[in-house]
Amino acid sequence: MSGYGTTPPSYGNPSGRPNVPPPRRGTAAPTRYWLKVLLTGLALWAATVAVTFATSNSNLVPTIVLLGSFLVPATFTVWAYERFASDLGPGRILACFGVGGIIGVLGASVLETYLLSPSVWMYLGVGLIEEAVKLFALVLVARSVPVRGLKHGLVLGATVGAGFAAFESAGYAFNAVLTVHGLSLKNLVETEVLRGLLAPVGHILWTGILGGVLFRERRGTQFRFTAPVLLTYLGVSLLHALWDSMNGIAVWLVVRTTSTDLQEQLFANGYLPHPTQQQVHLYTLYDVLGLVVVSLLGLCWLRLLVRREERAPVAT
């Protein structure tokens, strides 16, 4: 064999093998398991929906509910773990998603049942309660995780939010399929598609922001409920309340901008006036625009936190 093109032995390397520097940390090719989870889950969900529509087999409804409700939250969790928190290990992420999510929905159900009643402030109460129980679940599940800082807090908080969103969406999907006329697969599919698309800018975003600030303020293994943490809790609770109340806000805007004298008179006499086609379109427009505004506020807040963290001087 010709020696042309080989690397000659060098001092300190008598074997003649080329000196290859070790790979730098963080330069490994991404595995992108999140994409496999998304595509595989989406294909299975679509196939299950198609078979259920074709055969009218109600035994497949729970499969649709579980696949559709968990697909987006699980995909986001895998993406966040691979991208930012692989050093935490999958066990901690699974605990935040599963245990944290269940603790959150159970706590919210109990507190909302006994503390809330229909009123103009009800959705504010929902926001305060649900963000509080998710914060409690995050502290309980992640109290032994030996990390601090904004990055890990964002991932762990978002993971708890993803678990909460998955279990909550499963409940909404189950309620959507049950109607007075029997099972409604159309309602089920529409509910899961809508909630899946909105999940990343809902519970996942809000609890991610709160978790990031909580872990940023952490010292050692002790969580500190400082002023930034409490203000962040109130802020994400307000975003949550605005999100939940957007239907009512949209109706109020439609009434204030388009109602006729006849409609106002009917409403004053206890009758619910039939909306015009223009009012229906305006309601949809106001509702969608409101959700977009709330989402952008949350995303801008997240971006501000990340940029401020990047500019902060490194402690020595």
Side-chain angles (χ1 to χ4, degrees):
M1 176 181 290
S2 172
Y4 179 75
T6 59
T7 303
S10 59
Y11 182 76
N13 186 18
S15 65
R17 298 191 182 98
N19 289 316
V20 179
R24 288 182 299 173
R25 184 177 181 182
T27 59
T31 54
R32 294 190 176 180
Y33 283 122
W34 69 268
L35 186 57
K36 299 176 183 178
V37 172
L38 176 62
L39 296 179
T40 303
L42 185 60
L44 292 174
W45 178 81
T48 307
V49 170
V51 171
T52 306
F53 271 105
T55 63
S56 300
N57 185 359
S58 60
N59 290 334
L60 295 177
V61 170
T63 306
I64 299 177
V65 170
L66 292 177
L67 285 174
S69 301
F70 280 78
L71 178 58
V72 173
T75 299
F76 178 88
T77 299
V78 175
W79 172 81
Y81 168 73
E82 288 184 324
R83 185 83 180 271
F84 303 108
S86 58
D87 55 326
L88 294 178
R92 299 186 190 276
I93 298 297
L94 288 174
C96 285
F97 185 92
V99 179
I102 293 175
I103 290 175
V105 293
L106 291 178
S109 178
V110 171
L111 293 177
E112 289 173 2
T113 298
Y114 291 102
L115 297 181
L116 297 183
S117 58
S119 69
V120 71
W121 304 107
M122 183 181 69
Y123 288 120
L124 180 59
V126 170
L128 291 170
I129 288 174
E130 293 192 358
E131 295 308 318
V133 296
K134 286 186 290 180
L135 177 61
F136 172 78
L138 175 60
V139 171
L140 185 65
V141 177
R143 66 187 186 282
S144 61
V145 179
V147 295
R148 60 178 296 269
L150 182 74
K151 183 188 74 171
H152 287 105
L154 288 173
V155 174
L156 293 173
T159 301
V160 171
F164 187 98
F167 289 107
E168 184 184 59
S169 294
Y172 277 100
F174 178 77
N175 288 331
V177 76
L178 299 177
T179 69
V180 294
H181 304 292
L183 300 182
S184 174
L185 294 179
K186 180 182 177 181
N187 289 351
L188 171 59
V189 172
E190 290 177 349
T191 299
E192 291 197 323
V193 170
L194 180 61
R195 292 190 64 86
L197 292 174
L198 297 177
V201 291
H203 288 292
I204 295 175
L205 176 61
W206 304 325
T207 317
I209 292 173
L210 184 54
V213 176
L214 177 69
F215 272 78
R216 188 191 66 188
E217 298 294 312
R218 191 180 192 184
R219 294 296 178 268
T221 59
Q222 298 296 319
F223 288 111
R224 303 190 309 159
F225 295 94
T226 59
V229 175
L230 296 177
L231 289 175
T232 301
Y233 161 69
L234 293 177
V236 296
S237 297
L238 180 59
L239 290 180
H240 191 153
L242 288 173
W243 181 280
D244 287 349
S245 60
M246 197 52 62
N247 289 336
I249 294 174
V251 171
W252 182 82
L253 289 174
V254 170
V255 172
R256 295 292 296 177
T257 56
T258 65
S259 63
T260 63
D261 293 337
L262 176 60
Q263 288 178 323
E264 292 180 359
Q265 184 177 359
L266 289 173
F267 188 78
N269 292 331
Y271 297 97
L272 186 63
H274 194 276
T276 65
Q277 196 67 23
Q278 178 193 13
Q279 289 175 325
V280 172
H281 292 319
L282 275 177
Y283 164 79
T284 303
L285 177 63
Y286 289 147
D287 190 28
V288 172
L289 284 179
L291 295 180
V292 169
V293 169
V294 175
S295 302
L296 289 177
L297 287 174
L299 291 172
C300 290
W301 189 356
L302 174 63
R303 181 59 179 164
L304 180 63
L305 289 174
V306 173
R307 288 177 66 88
R308 184 174 296 176
E309 183 76 6
E310 291 172 347
R311 295 174 178 175
V314 179
T316 58

